[in-house]
Amino acid sequence: MRQELSHTERVYSTTQNKAAAVTSPVAASWSRCVNLYNLQPEEARKPYQVDEAVFREARERMERLIGSSAEEVDRLYQTIGRSGCCIVLADTDGIVVDRRGAAGDDVEFRALGLWQQNVWSEASVGTNGIGTALADERSVVIHRDQHFMSANIGLSCVTAPIRDHLGQVAAALDVSTCRNDVSEMTLAILSQAVRDAAMRVESNLFRQAFNGARIVVVPQANSMSALIAVDSDDLILGATRAARQALKLDDGTIAQGVPAADVLRETRGSVISDLEDAERAALRRALSRAQGNVSLAAQTLGISRATLHRKIKRLNLQ
């Protein structure tokens, strides 16, 4: 009868298989832990803890994001917090800057290091939800013995990165549990809940960053976080990561000033068409404000009643 490999043996066996690192995010992470960070899975290793000054600086840098995410984190905790889970918010270095947990579970989570000031980067504790989500810049599920360190194989984590208004990863939102009866289906449901919460935080951050601008949802992206900010001249001021991917936008394109109408339509309109659209919109607003009174609308626009009538006829306005 073939003897089952230990966790350490399985880790080293997997990292020697180059094909596995290409096809599996977990295997790729294990490979980084061995070859890049020089970690050993059997180490009795705790997360590195930053000092008070570094932690204070991290909290200050994250203050706006912590505030913007508080409602979503609280809602998530109300849903799953009493089922043996803790919720963690970490910065891009993996430093835990905020968390939620039930008092009855805190002793266990604190012993594992899922606590403020501790660093959950891959370099600190190997493959884990927070560190691997930050390294790969995508949502991950790290279930029990998928963790690199033997000390963490009793843990299951689901994590999603949170991106700022420029589309850059700014934090990681994580739900972790020590329950040994958690199933892959349960983790899949938790993962979706965490991703949805992260997207709502991203939307909050984006709307705050472009306060006063018109916020447009990109319909072809099929994502609630695919947003663009548009100024009064219909030029795009900013776009979330999902919107950038859907509309093929980058910082350079946005800085040049691209009309929202051009990227949201399948075909690019002509300059003459754009001018007519703008004129039609201006006339409709004036007529609406004047409650259909052509003389009053013409006076508001600073043109004669006859000129306004000609424009109404040319633009086929009712």
Side-chain angles (χ1 to χ4, degrees):
M1 186 174 179
R2 188 177 177 181
Q3 188 175 4
E4 189 176 345
L5 295 177
S6 69
H7 178 68
T8 298
E9 289 170 335
R10 193 160 68 89
V11 167
Y12 284 126
S13 173
T14 302
T15 54
Q16 289 168 7
N17 183 350
K18 293 183 179 179
V22 174
T23 59
S24 167
V26 172
S29 176
W30 284 0
S31 182
R32 288 194 296 269
C33 293
V34 172
N35 300 312
L36 184 60
Y37 309 128
N38 298 315
L39 299 177
Q40 297 176 353
E42 68 274 12
E43 284 183 83
R45 191 184 184 97
K46 293 286 187 182
Y48 171 71
Q49 187 177 80
V50 297
D51 61 34
E52 286 286 350
V54 173
F55 176 66
R56 248 190 334 268
E57 288 175 6
R59 282 276 304 187
E60 288 171 4
R61 285 194 306 270
M62 294 280 287
E63 185 176 1
R64 187 168 69 90
L65 193 148
I66 292 171
S68 297
S69 63
E71 186 175 341
E72 290 301 330
V73 173
D74 287 340
R75 184 182 293 116
L76 196 58
Y77 177 70
Q78 287 169 7
T79 304
I80 54 92
R82 291 171 180 79
S83 59
C85 298
C86 78
I87 302 172
V88 166
L89 188 67
D91 71 2
T92 51
D93 294 322
I95 302 172
V96 177
V97 293
D98 197 22
R99 72 177 297 279
R100 305 285 191 281
D105 302 318
D106 280 351
V107 173
E108 192 170 14
F109 286 126
R110 189 159 198 166
L112 284 167
L114 277 167
W115 210 260
Q116 292 186 158
Q117 275 186 261
N118 289 338
V119 181
W120 279 83
S121 64
E122 280 190 341
S124 174
V125 283
T127 306
N128 71 90
I130 295 169
T132 304
L134 291 171
D136 286 348
E137 296 193 357
R138 60 177 174 178
S139 300
V140 298
V141 176
I142 306 296
H143 184 32
R144 298 179 71 81
D145 62 2
Q146 290 179 331
H147 285 82
F148 181 80
M149 293 292 182
S150 299
N152 295 326
I153 63 175
L155 201 58
S156 294
C157 311
V158 295
T159 316
I162 295 174
R163 296 180 179 272
D164 63 16
H165 65 286
L166 299 176
Q168 302 298 314
V169 173
L173 180 62
D174 171 82
V175 171
S176 291
T177 179
C178 298
R179 291 181 59 153
N180 56 18
D181 61 346
V182 64
S183 66
E184 290 185 3
M185 182 179 291
T186 300
L187 290 176
I189 295 170
L190 280 175
S191 181
Q192 185 62 57
V194 172
R195 290 199 303 272
D196 288 347
M199 283 194 292
R200 286 191 289 269
V201 174
E202 288 180 9
S203 297
N204 291 342
L205 291 171
F206 188 77
R207 292 175 188 277
Q208 289 171 7
F210 295 101
N211 185 29
R214 183 163 57 96
I215 305 298
V216 179
V217 179
V218 178
Q220 53 264 53
N222 196 28
S223 170
M224 64 181 179
S225 66
L227 307 174
I228 56 174
V230 182
D231 69 10
S232 57
D233 296 323
D234 194 48
L235 296 181
I236 294 177
L237 298 171
T240 62
R241 168 79 168 187
R244 288 167 184 252
Q245 290 178 329
L247 301 175
K248 296 180 174 57
L249 297 172
D250 55 30
D251 288 341
T253 307
I254 294 171
Q256 288 172 7
V258 58
D262 286 355
V263 297
L264 291 174
R265 293 172 182 168
E266 292 184 0
T267 57
R268 195 179 182 88
S270 67
V271 174
I272 293 174
S273 175
D274 286 346
L275 287 172
E276 285 185 347
D277 287 345
E279 187 176 17
R280 183 182 289 105
L283 295 183
R284 290 184 65 191
R285 285 195 298 270
L287 287 165
S288 175
R289 288 164 183 160
Q291 297 182 348
N293 187 319
V294 176
S295 298
L296 181 58
Q299 184 179 352
T300 303
L301 293 167
I303 58 178
S304 69
R305 190 173 187 276
T307 298
L308 180 53
H309 270 298
R310 284 197 298 273
K311 289 180 179 291
I312 290 172
K313 185 177 180 181
R314 176 170 59 84
L315 295 172
N316 196 28
L317 285 174
Q318 299 299 319

